[in-house]
Amino acid sequence: MDKFLRRKYTSSRTDDEEPSTSVTKNLKKVVKRKHDEDYMKYGFSWCGDETAPRPQCILCGDQLSNESMVPSKLKRHLYSSHPSCANKDKQYSKRCLEQNKK
């Protein structure tokens, strides 16, 4: 049992030296999603910068992050926050957007 608890350090480096390993850091690739016209059927338009648009709910005005510009997350917002408008068509969203712009 003692041989498992004791470790032999046969390294020639001192404690001040950093280990010389070639560790590469895994950097996350940042994905900037673009707005699609099909997102209107979920009640979302876009706002902000054209290179990194943010989805904005037409009905309540909430702005979500760019990472949330996925149809499943937009649909979840529509069904959880606006269940009465969930079965409306794309034209209803366009009319609401025109009213908000005025």
Side-chain angles (χ1 to χ4, degrees):
M1 184 75 170
D2 289 338
K3 69 178 182 177
F4 294 112
L5 298 176
R6 294 183 193 158
R7 295 182 184 211
K8 294 182 182 179
Y9 293 104
T10 59
S11 176
S12 62
R13 69 178 178 89
T14 63
D15 292 334
D16 295 337
E17 295 177 2
E18 292 293 322
S20 60
T21 58
S22 61
V23 177
T24 59
K25 295 181 181 179
N26 293 334
L27 298 176
K28 249 186 169 178
K29 184 180 177 184
V30 177
V31 177
K32 302 285 184 179
R33 296 189 179 272
K34 303 293 181 191
H35 180 70
D36 190 10
E37 282 297 318
D38 290 337
Y39 297 159
M40 287 294 288
K41 67 181 175 183
Y42 303 122
F44 278 88
S45 179
W46 66 278
C47 64
D49 192 16
E50 287 187 15
T51 58
R54 297 179 61 180
Q56 182 178 14
C57 181
I58 295 170
L59 303 171
C60 64
D62 285 347
Q63 291 182 5
L64 305 178
S65 66
N66 185 275
E67 292 83 25
S68 297
M69 200 178 289
V70 182
S72 61
K73 291 184 181 181
L74 300 178
K75 191 175 183 179
R76 180 176 61 188
H77 174 82
L78 179 66
Y79 280 94
S80 63
S81 299
H82 315 289
S84 62
C85 299
N87 296 326
K88 305 286 183 176
D89 59 347
K90 192 175 180 180
Q91 297 300 323
Y92 176 76
S93 297
K94 286 185 179 182
R95 284 193 307 267
C96 288
L97 180 62
E98 291 299 320
Q99 287 178 345
N100 289 343
K101 284 185 179 180
K102 289 181 181 178

